[in-house]
Amino acid sequence: MGALGAADTAGDKPVYIVAGGSAGLLVQYEDLVRIAGRMELAAERLHSLREQAAELWQEPGVGTSLPADRIRVHLAGAVGNLALCAAALDRLVDGVRESARQYAATEGRIQLMLPSLGPLPLAPWIIPGHRAGGFPTLPQTESALASPADERAMAAAMWVVRKMGFGKPRPVSVTALPGKPELVQVEGTARSILSRSEVLKRENREGVVEILRIDEAGKSIFVVTIPGTQDGANGSNPFGFTGNGESRLEESRYVAAGVAEALRQAEAEAGDSVILSGYSQGGDHAANVAAELGRDSEYDVDFLLTAGSPTGATDLPPGLPALHLEHVQDWVPGIDSIANPDTADRVTLTRLDPVTTPAGEDVGLGPGHRLDHYQQAAAMADASDDASLRTVLGSLGAAIGTATVATRHLYRFSREPLTQVPLRHAGPSMPVAKAGPSLPTAGSMPGAGTGAGGGARSVPDVEPHTRPAVCDPLPR
């Protein structure tokens, strides 16, 4: 359960809820337990003081004169008062612990009351007239996929696809696209970061990942945006439909290796800040890459933003701030059957207001999954006074700062051909380039386009003049 968000003007109904973060309910339950622990320590000190006072009262010689008799009376009173205070604090500690248990149990019962659709999670998709234009909702999808049998069936289906060769994950090569680097405006807001996904979607370049480089006060910040699912079934595109298999079954290990290589080409150094973002499949990859880099690289992964992505099963390192945007009409974030963890570091904003697909446009994966609706959700997050949102977005603002100019660089990720012999693992260190000519420096970094401003201008998509750097994944 989360806190209610802003109300709409139509019926004073909440348009979103917020879960997790510093003000999340489960975090507050944990705070209750921590408070109970501190109170328990205070009670133990009171018990100890009572025992010391009692021992002093029983010391030989106390009470042999009138002043000593008065001291003895006061000690007796202190012993009694300390005993009463300690007993009262013991009862209060038990009450706080029991309250935390009851709150958590109630939360669990509410989760179990969510509607279930049975063993066919995508059945509502084909039922005419179903809510959200024939698509299941987020809670329904999460409930329907909750059974182990359904999870095994989905895994088996994806395994068959991989064995047929269509979705077999393979190492990726990374090449920087040529052209003069473009300057773009970027701000430390959710809307600004998510707008980069819209730029990639509009340009529709196969397998292209964007990296914005901000140089500030002797430190570089790299904003990495991974595209959502792209059209076509080209097996060389890591972000085609079958790319979902790598994010779901392989924890994006090849894409993570590619991002590490792209950062290396962008001359990222130890201690530099990395911000990861993505929409739909791109957000799923971004979460996995954030987890990988957060554990096994020298970069500081300072923020993760996802929109319409199934990220509940991703185990992010503690201390990594993350904002997940979801919509109740969007079933895609629920396909992993796990709600995002309610922790101090991870915040989920779920839109509740109904949305539709504009007349004449393809319904796609449903109106709730549209990127423009998630851009509105990002704006809601930026404008919200919710404590959890303010805290997590404060981390983003601190990483990027006020409005600033970034240099835009584009990198094409391509799967190796199926006929190629698989490469050996490079070892436990972060992936590096296999071979090839020297890579470009930051000053001559190939980018895309010219000009300044927040919107990227589409440019001819020509092939790079350098050989691609092939990346090994981290060993599993």
Side-chain angles (χ1 to χ4, degrees):
M1 297 293 290
L4 294 182
D8 61 21
T9 56
D12 211 29
K13 297 179 181 178
V15 294
Y16 61 83
I17 58 173
V18 179
S22 58
L25 287 181
L26 291 184
V27 174
Q28 293 179 27
Y29 303 158
E30 294 168 358
D31 286 340
L32 281 178
V33 174
R34 285 192 290 270
I35 291 171
R38 290 195 291 268
M39 293 170 64
E40 203 166 37
L41 290 175
E44 291 174 359
R45 294 192 187 99
L46 285 177
H47 284 296
S48 177
L49 287 172
R50 182 195 63 79
E51 292 173 358
Q52 293 175 25
E55 290 174 358
L56 183 60
W57 182 77
Q58 295 171 355
E59 281 290 326
V62 175
T64 57
S65 64
L66 184 59
D69 284 340
R70 290 176 180 170
I71 294 174
R72 186 179 180 84
V73 170
H74 286 305
L75 279 174
V79 170
N81 288 333
L82 286 170
L84 289 174
C85 290
L89 196 51
D90 284 337
R91 290 192 296 272
L92 187 56
V93 168
D94 291 340
V96 171
R97 290 191 183 279
E98 180 59 25
S99 296
R101 283 193 292 268
Q102 290 295 333
Y103 289 144
T106 301
E107 177 82 3
R109 286 194 294 270
I110 292 174
Q111 293 293 334
L112 289 174
M113 291 169 61
L114 291 174
S116 174
L117 295 179
L120 297 176
L122 301 184
W125 192 350
I126 59 175
I127 299 176
H130 187 76
R131 183 181 175 186
F135 291 84
T137 64
L138 170 62
Q140 290 168 333
T141 307
E142 286 183 338
S143 298
L145 283 172
S147 95
D150 293 333
E151 294 175 4
R152 288 194 296 269
M154 179 172 286
M158 298 185 79
W159 180 85
V160 170
V161 172
R162 289 175 56 191
K163 284 299 181 182
M164 292 173 64
F166 298 115
K168 183 179 180 181
R170 304 182 303 281
V172 299
S173 60
V174 177
T175 48
L177 297 188
K180 184 178 179 181
E182 177 185 359
L183 298 180
V184 299
Q185 198 78 17
V186 62
E187 301 176 358
T189 64
R191 181 65 184 264
S192 177
I193 298 302
L194 190 58
S195 70
R196 308 314 308 167
S197 291
E198 174 61 33
V199 172
L200 287 181
K201 181 180 178 182
R202 183 171 64 247
E203 293 178 346
N204 195 28
R205 300 181 179 203
E206 184 178 295
V208 170
V209 171
E210 176 190 84
I211 294 184
L212 300 183
R213 175 172 178 154
I214 306 167
D215 294 308
E216 188 176 85
K219 181 179 179 180
S220 296
I221 302 118
F222 296 85
V223 182
V224 181
T225 302
I226 301 176
T229 303
Q230 297 177 324
D231 294 336
N234 188 343
S236 66
N237 184 0
F239 311 117
F241 174 76
T242 55
N244 292 283
E246 182 186 337
S247 64
R248 292 287 85 223
L249 300 178
E250 300 281 349
E251 298 179 348
S252 306
R253 63 193 188 110
Y254 296 107
V255 171
V259 170
E261 169 60 23
L263 286 169
R264 189 192 71 80
Q265 292 190 33
E267 296 191 343
E269 298 178 352
D272 282 342
S273 175
V274 175
I275 294 168
L276 288 138
S277 175
Y279 156 69
S280 193
Q281 180 188 159
D284 200 2
H285 284 303
N288 290 328
V289 174
E292 191 76 74
L293 295 182
R295 287 190 298 261
D296 299 314
S297 79
E298 296 180 335
Y299 308 130
D300 293 334
V301 183
D302 286 332
F303 195 78
L304 167 68
L305 174 64
T306 69
S309 308
T311 54
T314 306
D315 185 17
L316 296 178
L320 196 165
L323 173 59
H324 307 291
L325 303 176
E326 299 182 350
H327 195 290
V328 71
Q329 286 176 233
D330 187 3
W331 57 273
V332 175
I335 60 175
D336 58 358
S337 76
I338 302 174
N340 293 323
D342 188 352
T343 69
D345 303 317
R346 300 178 71 168
V347 180
T348 303
L349 183 151
T350 304
R351 285 188 66 176
L352 304 176
D353 54 321
V355 293
T356 59
T357 301
E361 293 193 17
D362 184 5
V363 70
L365 295 180
H369 194 63
R370 290 175 59 90
L371 179 53
D372 55 346
H373 293 154
Y374 279 116
Q375 289 178 306
Q376 296 168 9
M380 292 176 184
D382 291 328
S384 175
D385 59 0
D386 178 85
S388 291
L389 288 172
R390 295 273 52 81
T391 300
V392 74
L393 288 175
S395 300
L396 175 60
I400 292 184
T402 57
T404 187
V405 175
T407 305
R408 185 186 192 220
H409 306 289
L410 299 178
Y411 298 89
R412 169 161 289 138
F413 288 29
S414 298
R415 293 267 188 221
E416 292 184 6
L418 280 170
T419 55
Q420 184 164 334
V421 178
L423 298 171
R424 293 192 302 259
H425 289 149
S429 60
M430 288 304 296
V432 296
K434 268 286 182 188
S438 59
L439 296 166
T441 63
S444 61
M445 181 67 65
T450 59
R457 186 168 56 82
S458 181
V459 297
D461 191 5
V462 297
E463 288 300 320
H465 299 296
T466 58
R467 282 175 52 194
V470 180
C471 310
D472 273 339
L474 291 176
R476 285 290 188 269

